[in-house]
Amino acid sequence: MERQEIIRDVHKQIENLARLHVQYGLYHTDGFRAHKEQIRQTIRENRVDVKKELDQDAKLIYKRYFD
């Protein structure tokens, strides 16, 4: 997978994570935790530099749910 495609996928997944929480209230479910872990794994495996490669919105959401 090309680098820009990986970054776009991470953006999309982070935004979906926030949507699961805000719109559907699924913050405390196993599915939410699994989705969050899958995002972490993608970031780790592809060595995504969150501070440099994510756009501002995705960084804010990332900080909210992962820090």
Side-chain angles (χ1 to χ4, degrees):
M1 195 181 302
E2 133 183 2
R3 186 73 179 171
Q4 291 304 320
E5 190 176 336
I6 293 167
I7 300 303
R8 279 192 301 271
D9 183 53
V10 170
H11 282 159
K12 181 180 166 187
Q13 293 303 320
I14 289 173
E15 289 170 358
N16 286 339
L17 186 75
R19 192 171 302 111
L20 288 173
H21 177 215
V22 175
Q23 288 182 347
Y24 301 107
L26 301 174
Y27 186 75
H28 296 290
T29 65
D30 290 336
F32 186 89
R33 284 188 285 279
H35 188 64
K36 199 169 150 181
E37 184 54 39
Q38 185 264 334
I39 294 169
R40 276 193 182 121
Q41 184 177 357
T42 301
I43 289 171
R44 206 173 23 245
E45 286 175 356
N46 294 289
R47 298 172 198 228
V48 175
D49 185 343
V50 174
K51 292 181 181 179
K52 292 182 181 178
E53 295 183 284
L54 296 183
D55 66 24
Q56 192 64 28
D57 292 336
K59 275 192 264 189
L60 289 172
I61 297 168
Y62 180 87
K63 188 174 182 178
R64 165 122 166 75
Y65 291 104
F66 292 91
D67 282 347

